[in-house]
């Protein structure tokens, strides 16, 4: 859960209470009006018509307050506009990834129809559906999206999924991209301090350390050889993408790791929100759908 900073909460308060915001922007003018009509009665204007020291002090305090508020509001408005444009950019990249996957699937379907036109086959579904290929395509889409949104080289983004059917079965790699020289499957599963192990043991359902070193210090991340060659710099995301009803019939863990550059700073709530609430849920639904198809194809056909 993302917690807003104090300045952000203050700004949002004034946005909601627009009347107070309007007062802050114009309060020095109100002070002048008050002095004009009540200055002599309140002793804020002397017998020569000049402001007294208390009147000047109050004016400059109100002016400084109004000026600072105007600057902060303008800066916050610009931040909101930049965030809006960034959000639109994120959305466009997600749509590009989704459309790319759909086009890839459509080409496979079209080629199958072309090669088997006029034929009937009871194995057509099993022949045409390739969930493993689709899952790899989705991971590639995630890689491209993260690369373009956060400015990280694709070669420095690693992705993997480990899975097993039913509790107690052996774990296997389902798909791996750019994780050579990182932890082996055995190390990933057997070391109770790895991020994946936290998911497997149901201690967490989701882990995101923008800075891997924080995860390492908290004993929820283990560095591999590739990490050490990059000085431990990077981010780690681990997410439970298992499929379960009353029982777990596909247990799976998605891991996303970066090398040499973090996805974002640990205090960048805007970037964290985009990752947690926009990017991952979109791709997670597609991954679990393909995992279900994979289970049907390998265990039920």
């Amino acid at each position: 859960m993302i917690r807003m900073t104090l300045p952000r909460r203050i700004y949002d308060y004034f946005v909601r209470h627009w009347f107070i915001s309007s007062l802050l922007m114009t309060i020095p003018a109100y002070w002048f009006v008050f002095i004009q009509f009540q200055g002599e009665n309140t002793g804020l204007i002397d017998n020569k018509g000049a402001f007294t020291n208390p009147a000047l002090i109050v004016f400059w305090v109100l002016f400084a307050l109004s000026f600072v508020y105007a600057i902060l509001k303008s800066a916050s408005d610009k931040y909101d506009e930049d965030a809006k444009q960034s959000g639109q950019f994120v959305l466009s990249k997600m749509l590009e990834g989704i459309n790319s996957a759909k086009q890839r699937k459509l080409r496979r379907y079209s080629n199958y129809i072309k090669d088997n036109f006029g034929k009937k086959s009871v194995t057509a579904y099993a022949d045409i559906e390739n969930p493993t290929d689709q899952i790899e395509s989705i991971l590639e889409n995630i890689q491209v999206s993260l690369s373009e949104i956060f400015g990280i080289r694709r070669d420095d983004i690693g992705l993997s999924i480990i899975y097993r059917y039913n509790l107690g079965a052996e774990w296997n790699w389902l798909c791996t991209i750019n994780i050579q020289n990182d932890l082996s499957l055995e190390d990933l599963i057997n070391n109770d301090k790895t991020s994946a192990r936290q998911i497997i043991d149901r201690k967490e359902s989701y882990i995101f350390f923008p800075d891997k070193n924080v995860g390492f210090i908290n004993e929820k991340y283990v560095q591999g050889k590739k990490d050490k060659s990059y000085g431990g710099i990077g981010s780690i995301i681990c997410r439970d993408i298992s499929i379960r009803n009353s029982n777990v019939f596909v247990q799976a863990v998605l891991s996303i790791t970066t090398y040499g550059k973090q996805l974002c700073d640990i205090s960048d709530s805007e970037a964290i929100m985009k990752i947690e609430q926009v990017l991952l849920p979109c791709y997670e639904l597609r991954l679990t759908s393909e995992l279900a198809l994979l289970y049907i194809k390998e265990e039920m056909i």
Side-chain angles (χ1 to χ4, degrees):
M1 180 178 179
I2 300 170
R3 296 178 180 175
M4 291 188 295
T5 61
L6 178 59
R8 184 68 201 182
R9 290 199 299 269
I10 293 173
Y11 172 76
D12 288 345
Y13 174 84
F14 283 114
V15 169
R16 291 193 302 271
H17 300 81
W18 59 269
F19 182 72
I20 299 176
S21 178
S22 299
L23 285 177
L24 283 174
M25 296 286 285
T26 56
I27 197 168
Y30 299 143
W31 181 244
F32 268 115
V33 172
F34 176 78
I35 291 175
Q36 182 179 359
F37 289 98
Q38 298 294 328
E40 293 182 1
N41 296 334
T42 56
L44 296 172
I45 295 179
D46 59 23
N47 54 13
K48 296 180 180 180
F51 283 11
T52 61
N53 284 337
L56 287 173
I57 290 172
V58 172
F59 166 74
W60 285 113
V61 169
L62 294 177
F63 175 81
L65 180 63
S66 178
F67 179 77
V68 170
Y69 177 76
I71 294 295
L72 293 178
K73 185 177 185 304
S74 297
S76 296
D77 288 342
K78 184 179 185 304
Y79 176 83
D80 279 354
E81 182 61 29
D82 291 343
K84 180 180 178 181
Q85 293 179 0
S86 176
Q88 292 171 344
F89 177 71
V90 171
L91 180 60
S92 70
K93 292 305 173 185
M94 288 172 54
L95 290 175
E96 284 180 16
I98 291 171
N99 289 336
S100 174
K102 289 181 177 177
Q103 289 170 358
R104 184 172 179 175
K105 182 176 281 191
L106 178 60
R107 284 196 300 270
R108 189 169 73 251
Y109 290 169
S110 298
N111 289 333
Y112 184 85
I113 293 172
K114 182 180 68 175
D115 294 340
N116 298 275
F117 187 75
K119 301 177 183 178
K120 291 186 180 291
S121 172
V122 294
T123 63
Y125 177 81
D127 293 339
I128 190 60
E129 280 298 336
N130 190 342
T132 304
D133 181 65
Q134 280 299 114
I135 289 170
E136 183 174 359
S137 174
I138 294 168
L139 293 188
E140 289 173 352
N141 292 158
I142 296 174
Q143 183 189 42
V144 171
S145 296
L146 291 175
S147 175
E148 296 188 358
I149 292 169
F150 297 104
I152 303 176
R153 293 190 323 131
R154 289 182 60 180
D155 288 346
D156 293 333
I157 302 174
L159 304 100
S160 67
I161 294 177
I162 58 172
Y163 81 117
R164 65 180 178 180
Y165 297 143
N166 305 311
L167 297 176
E170 290 188 4
W171 286 92
N172 291 288
W173 292 114
L174 177 55
C175 186
T176 63
I177 299 175
N178 284 347
I179 62 166
Q180 298 83 357
N181 298 320
D182 211 320
L183 293 178
S184 67
L185 180 60
E186 290 73 21
D187 291 333
L188 204 65
I189 299 303
N190 297 328
N191 191 327
D192 61 5
K193 294 180 181 179
T194 64
S195 298
R197 193 73 223 185
Q198 310 304 307
I199 306 294
I200 294 169
D201 293 341
R202 304 296 296 277
K203 295 176 182 177
E204 308 277 356
S205 62
Y206 169 69
I207 287 176
F208 178 25
F209 290 111
D211 182 355
K212 285 179 178 178
N213 288 309
V214 174
F216 180 72
I217 292 170
N218 289 316
E219 298 186 341
K220 292 186 177 182
Y221 180 74
V222 175
Q223 293 182 339
K225 293 180 181 178
K226 194 168 184 177
D227 274 321
K228 293 174 182 177
S229 67
Y230 282 85
I233 298 172
S235 302
I236 179 66
I237 297 172
C238 249
R239 196 172 184 96
D240 184 0
I241 57 170
S242 301
I243 303 175
R244 50 173 64 87
N245 44 30
S246 56
N247 297 308
V248 178
F249 54 90
V250 180
Q251 191 175 13
V253 180
L254 166 68
S255 295
I256 303 172
T257 182
T258 66
Y259 304 100
K261 186 175 180 179
Q262 295 180 194
L263 285 169
C264 61
D265 189 74
I266 57 175
S267 60
D268 191 344
S269 60
E270 188 72 28
I272 293 172
M273 183 277 291
K274 288 186 177 71
I275 294 169
E276 293 183 340
Q277 300 181 22
V278 182
L279 276 168
L280 290 180
C282 170
Y283 289 113
E284 181 182 357
L285 182 60
R286 295 169 58 203
L287 286 171
T288 51
S289 296
E290 295 299 332
L291 279 171
L293 282 174
L294 183 65
Y295 182 85
I296 292 170
K297 185 172 183 178
E298 294 190 346
E299 298 290 309
M300 300 178 70
I301 294 179

